[in-house]
Amino acid sequence: MTNTSSLSRADGRKFNELRKIKITPGFTKHAEGSVLVEFGETRVLCTASAETSVPKWLQGGGKGWVTAEYSMLPRSTHTRISREKATNSGRSQEISRLIARSLRAACDLKALGEKSITVDCDVLQADGGTRTAAITGGFVALALAIAKMKLAGLIPAHAEPLTHYVSAVSVGLKENAALLDLNYEEDSAIGTDLNVVMTHDGRFVELQGTAETVAFSRQELDAALDVATAGCRELFEAQAKVISSYFPSLKI
Amino acid sequence: MTNTSSLSRADGRKFNELRKIKITPGFTKHAEGSVLVEFGETRVLCTASAETSVPKWLQGGGKGWVTAEYSMLPRSTHTRISREKATNSGRSQEISRLIARSLRAACDLKALGEKSITVDCDVLQADGGTRTAAITGGFVALALAIAKMKLAGLIPAHAEPLTHYVSAVSVGLKENAALLDLNYEEDSAIGTDLNVVMTHDGRFVELQGTAETVAFSRQELDAALDVATAGCRELFEAQAKVISSYFPSLKI
Amino acid sequence: MTNTSSLSRADGRKFNELRKIKITPGFTKHAEGSVLVEFGETRVLCTASAETSVPKWLQGGGKGWVTAEYSMLPRSTHTRISREKATNSGRSQEISRLIARSLRAACDLKALGEKSITVDCDVLQADGGTRTAAITGGFVALALAIAKMKLAGLIPAHAEPLTHYVSAVSVGLKENAALLDLNYEEDSAIGTDLNVVMTHDGRFVELQGTAETVAFSRQELDAALDVATAGCRELFEAQAKVISSYFPSLKI
Amino acid sequence: MTNTSSLSRADGRKFNELRKIKITPGFTKHAEGSVLVEFGETRVLCTASAETSVPKWLQGGGKGWVTAEYSMLPRSTHTRISREKATNSGRSQEISRLIARSLRAACDLKALGEKSITVDCDVLQADGGTRTAAITGGFVALALAIAKMKLAGLIPAHAEPLTHYVSAVSVGLKENAALLDLNYEEDSAIGTDLNVVMTHDGRFVELQGTAETVAFSRQELDAALDVATAGCRELFEAQAKVISSYFPSLKI
Amino acid sequence: MTNTSSLSRADGRKFNELRKIKITPGFTKHAEGSVLVEFGETRVLCTASAETSVPKWLQGGGKGWVTAEYSMLPRSTHTRISREKATNSGRSQEISRLIARSLRAACDLKALGEKSITVDCDVLQADGGTRTAAITGGFVALALAIAKMKLAGLIPAHAEPLTHYVSAVSVGLKENAALLDLNYEEDSAIGTDLNVVMTHDGRFVELQGTAETVAFSRQELDAALDVATAGCRELFEAQAKVISSYFPSLKI
Amino acid sequence: MTNTSSLSRADGRKFNELRKIKITPGFTKHAEGSVLVEFGETRVLCTASAETSVPKWLQGGGKGWVTAEYSMLPRSTHTRISREKATNSGRSQEISRLIARSLRAACDLKALGEKSITVDCDVLQADGGTRTAAITGGFVALALAIAKMKLAGLIPAHAEPLTHYVSAVSVGLKENAALLDLNYEEDSAIGTDLNVVMTHDGRFVELQGTAETVAFSRQELDAALDVATAGCRELFEAQAKVISSYFPSLKI
């Protein structure tokens, strides 16, 4: 491996440095949980909507459900994309499913009871890493909704539907170096990247490595996982600043 | 008519008083024009996207085109609405067409030349009057895009594609009183309302009165139009604060 | 204002003169109410279909529902339009919603009870003013269906679901003159028109003014409303010839 | 076989008797060919629309194209059907294709040149036999359009794109009897019917026999074909009354 | 008629000779009935799926339902067709409906009881006659599913839902000769063909004759029916080899 | 880690043992490349269709394109799935995209020139691991199509569009053991699995780890990757048996 610590990035970050992370709770007022998450210039509005019922195929089983939808606003990106494509493209549906699986890994659906929570992740501005920002912010929106449901008595006080923190980050592989949290410019220049979703106990929920140009070696993978693990740790801390008071027993 | 000046509104406004209006330019970075417009708690992100071509049916005619799309984010409102419905419902399409016609009334499409501008109006938070906020903010996004296109040389310096300011406001009719700029709570309680779109020279671009419960009289209509005309005047001033420096010859 | 009385129209009509209006009841046999309405060469087949149930969201509330669908036959117009566009275009959906709201303004939905009436307005031949013809004829089809439902005992004899006559007419604004009931040729030449839907007591149900080219002044609006009000009065009389015997207590 | 001549039908017709046939040309004004065809109470509006181009896959081949679309108006039938189903159901598409093939059998597409004709068949009122009425009336609309195109010089005077008359009729099989031109009541009671499309020289274009309940024998088929052949002959005569003067060289 | 016995076919068959017919039961393992049917190089996978319920409109009537879906794999044919077109084209839907009606003619739906069977016919390789192969093979899949349902006790032992064998074959008309079971090459060269669906007692279930180029005479039809009847007889024998042991009382 | 070598699997396989792999070339005749691939009872028909053009957005760039579509036949699985869902579900689209990216990693698109190859992967029978079988078999179909295109002169003899072998396999994580190539029964019982796509030089093209129940540790990931790497090696050998003679310079 290259001695990555000497690599310079266009925006001056170190190879293992996240962009400026900002999580603003209560960005909109109607949703049970609402968060604006910013990874540098990437901004995603995450809202969690609670319902006191579950989809048909789950009814009567005593378990809840968490799902997610991801979409980009038409001009969140360099050139306008159609609404149809922004919501229904294969890419958007694939990311929606990824977010949903990731958030379910944060939950004990039995403890949630027969309730549903839908987390909408709408990209207001895209600058790379929208899916990882969506998972990281969507988790906070989900946690806020659960806190609100407990306050409202929809979930019993003793129940603990939230069992883990979940965050996500991307790593790019370039000339044997692993670069944390790519922005759009970097992402365009780098063919291969890895999206890593982790729980706060250091385990993997999702791992998606894609080599658009050159396949990657086992050694490169190892370096990327090291960087990603440290990055997720920082994200857990940013999340905890917003939600730890509601979930005192969940220590990161 | 009731002496409307004595009516008290739930939020303390006078019958002819707008909510707090805020227009933030440059809310997102990719679009040629980008504005966050707020009518009280109603917040709409308006982005104007420029293209250097026109739809097929206009090609070769030397004229440009302005169109618009309106959509609500799924949880911009009290209960979550599906993305499908948020974008493709009859209501959303009807509002999209209304915004587009209104914005075209602000333009000299010949002076624009064979370029297209698409104005996307995405409701981040709904609290009544989303369509009038969208027109008012969409106009500013459109103007900013035109200014940027002129700077970039896409539109000749001497051309003046922007010929009028356009703003819009709603008026509700309740017990013979005309109430300006209804919020959601008022709108739900009042069956009949009028959406008025005006140019800065005091003429009407669109007039849409709908009596969901009781039909309205000619006298009530007259009172509503008086209130709307004054409201639009205030909105022109708010718009001018953002764009007047780019369009010095256009006096409101 | 111009002295409009001296304006000559291509078909020889006076500025405030309707085209020849013809309402033929019983044009088809299956529908509870069926009417062919003609405004000059514009011909719309209006059928009202009754059902003894209401949509889910209304069930159990004791109220009925009236809805409408508008569509053009593919070759009702100068050049063939696709069926998809004829039924599902934004324009068609917008007109469907307008007709439905207008017809509900004619009804006491509580008195209707938990029944639904769907009014289909299919344009056989278009020559301008199809939406106003559809509302005017659709009202008669609706009234005939209500009369038939009362006869069949589906609505109690003492109930009066029909509370108002409703008719509609367009007015065009051209060189400061207001022209009643535009045909296609006039409509194409005139940028600005107003569609007015009224109840027989002289109140407005819907008011839709659209300036495709030049915005209109308050004075022009007033002139248009005067002409429209008189036009609707004539339409109520044409409607009454068909339905007054079924609704003797409803005097226009 | 039963001696079918002694069978009595509900409407008093003989087993081999058509309903009252009426073909009204010029029913609407915009289409190049327009016909209202009536088979008893079944009424279908057939319009033929001409275009001076052909679909892409035919371009440059010197041949024209004839196609057709069949749809029922929502309340053309006993209970209202949705517009979606009326146009896009498997049944409607299948009938559209049948009509199109049948009408192409009437034409020399080479003589037509690179032009397209679309024949729309919209059922205003259904009482059995809508597809056979549509073919019979659609042929007349097609012929009128061709006549008009020749007059307009779009087709050279010497070209003869119309080579055959085409008509269609249904035959029902009931208790070994063959009944011509079933109305709705008969059709509902009879499981098996045959739709026969013929050219004026007594040949078959399409033959569609369907046994919904009991399969039919070779002998029954023969009886049905005899009756259908005579029925089509009468239909050619009804068509000729409308179009023979335009096509003097085409003798039925 | 030409003395057809002397005609030579490209693949050496006689005018009334089927291609090599092969019916392989149990081709896949999940379906209640599964068959690979081959008519020469045409190969169709037919699977019958049983459900213990019926569509809503049949519930409570004590009768079962049999339906079918036909689709071509994208590259089952010379040039790739899109999946959308392979499944939803008018042609595919029309064939699906034909197969379904044909298979229902083999059944006593009352004896089936309130169960549904869906027969999927997926063309793996197309070389002409896919619809007739699908009906012939689909019948066997259906019979195997019924046999399995009886074994599983889902259908009472004494019930006989299968009342007839059903098979299908095509006949082409060329220069007055009737050619049995056309392959793709022949089908492309011959404009007119007849698809014949029969029960084992020699009666017709469906008869679909289509003249794409030249209409056919009564005499040609008679010759085609003779050839088809003999062809179906051979197909019943091929079917019986697979299913006769399960349905001993049903003699062909 | 558990000593996995002592684990017994329901079908008697060792933890690192593939199911019986079978690759049958030429399974259907029309496609440029056609393969039936079997991983135990999972059977996928892979066809590669060549076109001598590329999608619009690639035209003029001198590069080719490889894409893929994945679908399950309705009754390839335990309970029938609808065709709509089998083709258009989020899952199917996601797998289609995965296969396409994986196959592009096997190619030098520049060497392919402006040609497109579409690889259709249709699951005839599903028993776990359909996506990895599809990639492994799809690669062979792709290679056969390229070989055929070279023979036909569509690709110059010296060009080498195929640069790598690509194969894929799944690994399940269960009680700290890594199990190679899960069948359906195992897959249902194990929450966490990893799909690994590799090139023959031992590098990763795609890595997709998903923890449906419990997140996995770095140590578990390492064990899984070891097992997957060995499994892919065996698959390269199975592929080479079919295609190595066409690509002698490509040594695995």
Side-chain angles (χ1 to χ4, degrees):
Chain A
M1 292 297 281
T2 308
N3 182 343
T4 51
S5 59
S6 64
L7 260 178
S8 71
R9 296 169 77 170
D11 59 2
R13 281 189 287 154
K14 283 181 287 182
F15 76 98
N16 62 353
E17 192 179 342
L18 291 171
R19 286 176 286 178
K20 188 169 155 46
I21 305 299
K22 196 169 159 193
I23 301 176
T24 309
F27 189 74
T28 58
K29 69 173 182 175
H30 296 304
E32 281 70 32
S34 170
V35 155
L36 182 74
V37 63
E38 299 174 66
F39 276 32
E41 300 226 55
T42 287
R43 278 190 262 161
V44 185
L45 174 53
C46 306
T47 57
S49 299
E51 274 178 290
T52 54
S53 63
V54 286
K56 263 200 183 156
W57 56 275
L58 269 180
Q59 283 168 13
K63 289 174 61 176
W65 191 238
V66 171
T67 188
E69 291 190 10
Y70 166 96
S71 185
M72 301 179 81
L73 288 200
R75 195 57 195 282
S76 58
T77 186
H78 287 78
T79 51
R80 186 177 183 274
I81 49 175
S82 72
R83 285 171 194 278
E84 171 61 22
K85 201 176 159 189
T87 299
N88 298 325
S89 71
R91 176 184 176 275
S92 289
Q93 287 188 47
E94 191 171 325
I95 298 177
S96 294
R97 288 157 48 89
L98 168 66
I99 299 171
R101 287 194 310 265
S102 300
L103 297 183
R104 282 195 291 272
C107 293
D108 176 350
L109 295 173
K110 224 163 196 154
L112 181 57
E114 294 209 3
K115 278 108 204 166
S116 303
I117 302 178
T118 301
V119 179
D120 287 289
C121 300
D122 287 274
V123 179
L124 301 189
Q125 189 169 280
D127 189 32
T130 57
R131 81 187 72 188
T132 52
I135 292 169
T136 304
F139 168 79
V140 178
L142 171 69
L144 291 174
I146 288 173
K148 193 163 189 182
M149 290 165 86
K150 290 187 82 163
L151 274 172
L154 292 172
I155 298 175
H158 65 272
E160 295 295 359
L162 204 73
T163 59
H164 296 82
Y165 278 67
V166 164
S167 70
V169 78
S170 73
V171 185
L173 292 171
K174 185 196 179 182
E175 296 158 19
N176 292 328
L179 300 182
L180 186 66
D181 188 23
L182 303 178
N183 65 19
Y184 178 79
E185 192 189 336
E186 292 175 319
D187 194 28
S188 305
I190 293 179
T192 299
D193 73 331
L194 200 68
N195 287 291
V196 180
V197 185
M198 299 190 81
T199 46
H200 69 273
D201 54 1
R203 299 174 75 92
F204 299 104
V205 174
E206 293 274 340
L207 205 62
Q208 296 197 337
T210 293
E212 297 253 334
T213 44
V214 185
F216 54 93
S217 68
R218 182 77 173 262
Q219 193 187 12
E220 288 172 309
L221 173 64
D222 281 332
L225 294 174
D226 289 345
V227 167
T229 302
C232 283
R233 172 102 346 250
E234 285 184 61
L235 293 171
F236 295 133
E237 278 157 25
Q239 293 171 324
K241 277 185 196 146
V242 179
I243 66 160
S244 61
S245 64
Y246 302 110
F247 301 94
S249 63
L250 199 58
K251 308 279 185 214
I252 60 166
Chain B
M1 290 300 279
T2 306
N3 180 344
T4 52
S5 59
S6 63
L7 260 177
S8 72
R9 296 169 78 170
D11 59 2
R13 280 190 286 153
K14 283 180 286 182
F15 76 96
N16 62 352
E17 191 178 342
L18 291 171
R19 288 176 286 178
K20 188 170 156 44
I21 305 299
K22 196 169 159 193
I23 300 176
T24 309
F27 189 74
T28 57
K29 69 173 181 175
H30 296 304
E32 281 70 32
S34 170
V35 155
L36 182 73
V37 63
E38 299 174 66
F39 276 32
E41 299 225 56
T42 287
R43 278 190 262 161
V44 184
L45 174 54
C46 306
T47 58
S49 298
E51 275 179 289
T52 55
S53 63
V54 286
K56 262 199 185 158
W57 55 275
L58 268 181
Q59 284 169 14
K63 288 173 63 175
W65 190 238
V66 172
T67 186
E69 291 191 11
Y70 167 96
S71 185
M72 301 180 82
L73 288 200
R75 195 55 194 282
S76 58
T77 185
H78 287 78
T79 52
R80 187 177 183 273
I81 49 175
S82 72
R83 285 172 194 278
E84 170 62 20
K85 203 177 155 186
T87 299
N88 298 326
S89 70
R91 177 185 174 273
S92 289
Q93 287 188 48
E94 190 172 324
I95 297 178
S96 294
R97 289 157 47 89
L98 168 66
I99 299 171
R101 287 194 311 264
S102 299
L103 296 182
R104 282 195 292 272
C107 294
D108 175 350
L109 295 173
K110 223 161 197 157
L112 181 56
E114 294 210 3
K115 280 108 204 167
S116 303
I117 302 178
T118 301
V119 179
D120 287 289
C121 300
D122 286 273
V123 179
L124 302 189
Q125 188 169 281
D127 189 33
T130 58
R131 84 188 67 188
T132 51
I135 292 169
T136 304
F139 167 79
V140 178
L142 171 69
L144 291 174
I146 288 173
K148 194 163 189 181
M149 290 165 85
K150 290 188 82 165
L151 275 172
L154 292 172
I155 298 176
H158 65 274
E160 295 294 0
L162 204 72
T163 59
H164 295 83
Y165 278 65
V166 163
S167 71
V169 78
S170 73
V171 185
L173 292 172
K174 185 196 179 183
E175 296 160 18
N176 291 329
L179 300 182
L180 186 65
D181 187 23
L182 303 179
N183 65 19
Y184 177 78
E185 193 189 336
E186 291 175 321
D187 194 28
S188 305
I190 292 180
T192 297
D193 73 330
L194 200 68
N195 287 290
V196 180
V197 186
M198 299 189 81
T199 46
H200 69 273
D201 55 0
R203 299 173 75 91
F204 300 105
V205 173
E206 292 274 339
L207 203 63
Q208 296 197 337
T210 293
E212 297 253 334
T213 44
V214 185
F216 53 93
S217 68
R218 182 80 174 263
Q219 193 186 13
E220 288 172 309
L221 173 64
D222 281 333
L225 293 174
D226 289 344
V227 166
T229 301
C232 283
R233 173 101 345 248
E234 286 184 61
L235 293 170
F236 294 133
E237 278 156 25
Q239 293 171 325
K241 279 187 194 145
V242 178
I243 64 159
S244 61
S245 64
Y246 303 110
F247 301 93
S249 62
L250 200 57
K251 309 279 186 213
I252 59 168
Chain C
M1 292 297 282
T2 307
N3 182 342
T4 51
S5 59
S6 64
L7 262 176
S8 70
R9 297 170 76 171
D11 59 1
R13 281 190 286 154
K14 283 180 287 181
F15 76 98
N16 63 351
E17 190 178 344
L18 292 171
R19 287 176 286 178
K20 187 169 156 45
I21 306 299
K22 195 170 160 194
I23 301 177
T24 309
F27 189 73
T28 58
K29 70 173 181 175
H30 297 304
E32 281 71 31
S34 170
V35 155
L36 181 74
V37 63
E38 299 174 68
F39 277 31
E41 300 226 55
T42 288
R43 277 190 263 162
V44 184
L45 174 54
C46 307
T47 58
S49 297
E51 275 179 290
T52 54
S53 63
V54 286
K56 263 199 185 156
W57 55 274
L58 268 181
Q59 284 169 13
K63 289 173 62 176
W65 191 238
V66 171
T67 187
E69 292 190 10
Y70 167 97
S71 183
M72 300 179 82
L73 288 198
R75 195 56 194 282
S76 58
T77 184
H78 288 78
T79 52
R80 188 178 181 273
I81 49 176
S82 72
R83 285 172 194 278
E84 171 62 20
K85 202 175 158 191
T87 299
N88 298 325
S89 69
R91 176 185 174 274
S92 288
Q93 286 188 48
E94 191 171 325
I95 298 177
S96 293
R97 288 157 48 88
L98 168 66
I99 300 172
R101 287 195 309 266
S102 299
L103 296 182
R104 284 197 290 272
C107 294
D108 176 351
L109 295 173
K110 226 166 194 152
L112 182 57
E114 293 209 4
K115 279 108 206 166
S116 304
I117 302 177
T118 301
V119 178
D120 288 288
C121 300
D122 287 274
V123 178
L124 301 189
Q125 188 169 281
D127 189 33
T130 58
R131 81 188 70 187
T132 50
I135 292 169
T136 304
F139 167 78
V140 178
L142 171 68
L144 291 174
I146 289 174
K148 193 163 188 180
M149 290 165 86
K150 291 188 81 163
L151 274 172
L154 292 171
I155 297 175
H158 65 272
E160 295 295 359
L162 204 73
T163 60
H164 296 82
Y165 279 67
V166 164
S167 70
V169 78
S170 72
V171 185
L173 292 172
K174 186 195 177 183
E175 296 158 19
N176 291 328
L179 301 183
L180 186 66
D181 188 24
L182 303 178
N183 65 19
Y184 177 79
E185 192 190 336
E186 291 175 320
D187 194 28
S188 306
I190 293 180
T192 299
D193 72 330
L194 200 68
N195 287 289
V196 180
V197 186
M198 300 190 82
T199 46
H200 69 274
D201 54 2
R203 297 173 75 92
F204 299 104
V205 173
E206 293 274 340
L207 204 61
Q208 296 198 337
T210 293
E212 298 253 333
T213 45
V214 185
F216 53 94
S217 68
R218 182 78 173 263
Q219 192 185 15
E220 287 171 310
L221 174 64
D222 281 333
L225 293 174
D226 289 344
V227 166
T229 302
C232 282
R233 173 100 347 247
E234 286 185 60
L235 293 170
F236 294 134
E237 277 156 25
Q239 293 171 324
K241 276 186 196 145
V242 179
I243 65 158
S244 61
S245 64
Y246 302 110
F247 301 94
S249 63
L250 199 58
K251 308 281 184 212
I252 59 167
Chain D
M1 292 298 280
T2 308
N3 182 342
T4 50
S5 59
S6 64
L7 262 177
S8 72
R9 297 170 76 170
D11 59 2
R13 280 189 287 154
K14 282 181 286 180
F15 76 98
N16 62 352
E17 190 178 342
L18 293 170
R19 288 177 285 179
K20 188 170 157 43
I21 305 299
K22 196 170 159 193
I23 300 176
T24 309
F27 189 73
T28 58
K29 69 172 182 176
H30 296 303
E32 281 70 30
S34 169
V35 155
L36 181 75
V37 62
E38 299 173 68
F39 275 33
E41 299 225 54
T42 287
R43 280 190 261 161
V44 184
L45 173 54
C46 306
T47 58
S49 298
E51 276 179 289
T52 55
S53 63
V54 286
K56 262 200 185 156
W57 55 274
L58 269 180
Q59 284 169 12
K63 288 173 63 176
W65 191 238
V66 171
T67 188
E69 291 189 11
Y70 166 96
S71 184
M72 299 179 82
L73 288 199
R75 195 55 195 282
S76 58
T77 184
H78 287 78
T79 53
R80 188 178 182 273
I81 49 176
S82 71
R83 285 172 194 277
E84 171 61 20
K85 203 176 157 188
T87 300
N88 298 325
S89 69
R91 176 185 174 274
S92 288
Q93 286 188 47
E94 191 172 324
I95 298 177
S96 294
R97 289 157 48 89
L98 168 66
I99 299 171
R101 288 194 309 267
S102 298
L103 296 183
R104 283 196 290 272
C107 295
D108 176 350
L109 294 173
K110 229 169 191 149
L112 181 56
E114 293 209 5
K115 279 109 205 167
S116 303
I117 302 177
T118 301
V119 178
D120 288 288
C121 300
D122 287 273
V123 179
L124 302 189
Q125 188 169 281
D127 188 34
T130 58
R131 82 188 70 188
T132 51
I135 292 169
T136 304
F139 167 78
V140 178
L142 171 68
L144 291 174
I146 288 174
K148 193 163 188 182
M149 291 165 86
K150 291 188 81 164
L151 274 172
L154 292 171
I155 299 175
H158 65 272
E160 295 295 358
L162 203 74
T163 60
H164 295 84
Y165 278 66
V166 163
S167 70
V169 78
S170 73
V171 184
L173 292 171
K174 186 195 178 183
E175 296 159 18
N176 292 327
L179 301 184
L180 186 66
D181 187 23
L182 303 178
N183 65 19
Y184 177 78
E185 191 189 337
E186 290 175 320
D187 194 28
S188 305
I190 292 179
T192 299
D193 72 329
L194 201 67
N195 287 290
V196 180
V197 185
M198 300 189 81
T199 46
H200 70 272
D201 54 1
R203 298 173 76 92
F204 299 104
V205 173
E206 293 274 339
L207 203 62
Q208 296 197 337
T210 294
E212 298 253 332
T213 45
V214 186
F216 53 93
S217 68
R218 182 78 174 262
Q219 192 186 14
E220 288 171 309
L221 173 63
D222 281 332
L225 294 174
D226 290 344
V227 167
T229 302
C232 283
R233 173 100 348 247
E234 285 184 60
L235 293 170
F236 294 133
E237 278 157 24
Q239 294 171 323
K241 276 185 197 148
V242 179
I243 64 159
S244 61
S245 63
Y246 302 109
F247 301 94
S249 64
L250 199 58
K251 309 280 185 210
I252 58 169
Chain E
M1 293 296 281
T2 307
N3 181 344
T4 52
S5 59
S6 63
L7 262 176
S8 71
R9 296 170 76 170
D11 59 2
R13 279 189 288 154
K14 282 180 290 182
F15 77 97
N16 63 351
E17 191 178 343
L18 291 171
R19 287 176 286 178
K20 189 169 157 42
I21 305 299
K22 196 170 158 193
I23 300 175
T24 309
F27 189 73
T28 57
K29 70 174 182 175
H30 297 303
E32 281 71 31
S34 170
V35 155
L36 182 73
V37 63
E38 299 174 67
F39 276 32
E41 300 225 56
T42 287
R43 278 190 262 162
V44 184
L45 174 54
C46 306
T47 57
S49 299
E51 275 179 289
T52 55
S53 64
V54 284
K56 261 198 186 157
W57 56 275
L58 268 180
Q59 282 169 14
K63 289 173 63 176
W65 191 237
V66 171
T67 186
E69 291 189 11
Y70 167 97
S71 184
M72 300 180 83
L73 288 199
R75 196 54 194 283
S76 57
T77 185
H78 288 78
T79 51
R80 187 177 183 274
I81 49 176
S82 72
R83 284 172 195 277
E84 171 62 20
K85 202 176 158 187
T87 299
N88 298 325
S89 69
R91 177 185 175 273
S92 288
Q93 286 188 47
E94 189 171 326
I95 297 178
S96 293
R97 290 157 47 90
L98 168 67
I99 299 171
R101 288 194 310 265
S102 298
L103 296 182
R104 283 195 291 274
C107 293
D108 175 350
L109 296 173
K110 221 159 199 161
L112 181 56
E114 294 208 3
K115 279 108 204 166
S116 303
I117 302 177
T118 301
V119 179
D120 287 289
C121 300
D122 286 274
V123 179
L124 302 188
Q125 188 169 280
D127 188 33
T130 58
R131 82 188 69 188
T132 52
I135 292 168
T136 304
F139 168 78
V140 178
L142 171 69
L144 291 174
I146 289 173
K148 194 164 188 181
M149 291 166 86
K150 291 188 82 164
L151 275 172
L154 292 171
I155 298 175
H158 65 272
E160 295 296 359
L162 205 73
T163 59
H164 296 83
Y165 278 66
V166 163
S167 70
V169 78
S170 73
V171 185
L173 292 172
K174 186 195 177 181
E175 295 159 19
N176 290 329
L179 300 182
L180 186 65
D181 187 23
L182 303 179
N183 64 20
Y184 177 79
E185 192 189 335
E186 291 175 321
D187 194 28
S188 305
I190 292 180
T192 299
D193 73 330
L194 200 68
N195 287 291
V196 180
V197 186
M198 299 190 81
T199 47
H200 69 273
D201 55 1
R203 298 173 74 92
F204 300 104
V205 173
E206 292 274 339
L207 203 61
Q208 296 197 336
T210 294
E212 298 252 334
T213 43
V214 185
F216 54 92
S217 68
R218 181 79 174 262
Q219 192 186 14
E220 288 171 309
L221 173 65
D222 281 333
L225 293 175
D226 289 344
V227 167
T229 302
C232 283
R233 173 105 339 253
E234 284 185 61
L235 293 170
F236 294 132
E237 278 157 24
Q239 293 171 324
K241 277 186 195 145
V242 179
I243 65 158
S244 62
S245 64
Y246 302 109
F247 301 93
S249 64
L250 199 57
K251 310 279 185 212
I252 61 167
Chain F
M1 292 298 282
T2 307
N3 182 342
T4 51
S5 59
S6 65
L7 260 178
S8 71
R9 296 170 77 170
D11 59 1
R13 280 189 287 154
K14 283 182 288 181
F15 76 98
N16 62 352
E17 191 178 342
L18 292 171
R19 287 176 286 179
K20 188 170 158 43
I21 305 299
K22 196 171 159 192
I23 300 176
T24 310
F27 189 74
T28 57
K29 69 172 182 175
H30 296 303
E32 280 71 30
S34 169
V35 156
L36 182 73
V37 63
E38 298 173 68
F39 276 32
E41 300 225 56
T42 287
R43 279 190 261 162
V44 184
L45 174 53
C46 306
T47 58
S49 298
E51 275 178 290
T52 54
S53 63
V54 286
K56 263 198 185 160
W57 56 275
L58 270 179
Q59 284 169 12
K63 289 174 61 177
W65 191 238
V66 172
T67 188
E69 291 189 12
Y70 166 96
S71 184
M72 301 180 81
L73 288 199
R75 195 55 195 283
S76 59
T77 185
H78 287 78
T79 52
R80 187 178 183 273
I81 49 176
S82 72
R83 285 172 194 277
E84 171 62 21
K85 202 176 158 188
T87 299
N88 298 325
S89 70
R91 176 185 175 274
S92 289
Q93 287 189 46
E94 190 171 325
I95 297 177
S96 294
R97 288 157 48 90
L98 168 67
I99 300 170
R101 288 193 310 267
S102 300
L103 296 182
R104 283 195 292 272
C107 293
D108 175 351
L109 295 173
K110 221 159 199 159
L112 182 56
E114 295 208 4
K115 279 108 204 166
S116 303
I117 302 178
T118 301
V119 179
D120 287 288
C121 300
D122 286 275
V123 179
L124 301 189
Q125 189 168 280
D127 189 33
T130 57
R131 82 188 70 188
T132 51
I135 292 168
T136 304
F139 168 78
V140 178
L142 171 68
L144 291 174
I146 288 173
K148 193 163 187 181
M149 290 165 86
K150 291 188 81 163
L151 275 172
L154 292 172
I155 299 175
H158 65 271
E160 295 294 359
L162 204 73
T163 59
H164 296 83
Y165 278 67
V166 164
S167 70
V169 78
S170 73
V171 186
L173 292 171
K174 186 196 179 182
E175 297 159 18
N176 292 329
L179 300 183
L180 186 67
D181 188 24
L182 304 179
N183 64 20
Y184 177 80
E185 192 189 336
E186 291 175 320
D187 194 28
S188 305
I190 292 179
T192 299
D193 73 331
L194 201 68
N195 288 291
V196 180
V197 186
M198 300 190 80
T199 46
H200 68 274
D201 54 2
R203 298 174 74 91
F204 299 104
V205 173
E206 292 274 339
L207 204 62
Q208 296 198 337
T210 293
E212 297 252 334
T213 44
V214 185
F216 53 94
S217 69
R218 182 77 173 262
Q219 192 186 15
E220 288 171 310
L221 174 63
D222 281 333
L225 293 174
D226 290 344
V227 167
T229 302
C232 282
R233 173 102 344 250
E234 286 184 61
L235 293 170
F236 294 133
E237 279 157 25
Q239 293 172 324
K241 277 185 196 145
V242 179
I243 65 159
S244 61
S245 63
Y246 302 109
F247 301 93
S249 63
L250 198 59
K251 308 280 185 210
I252 59 168

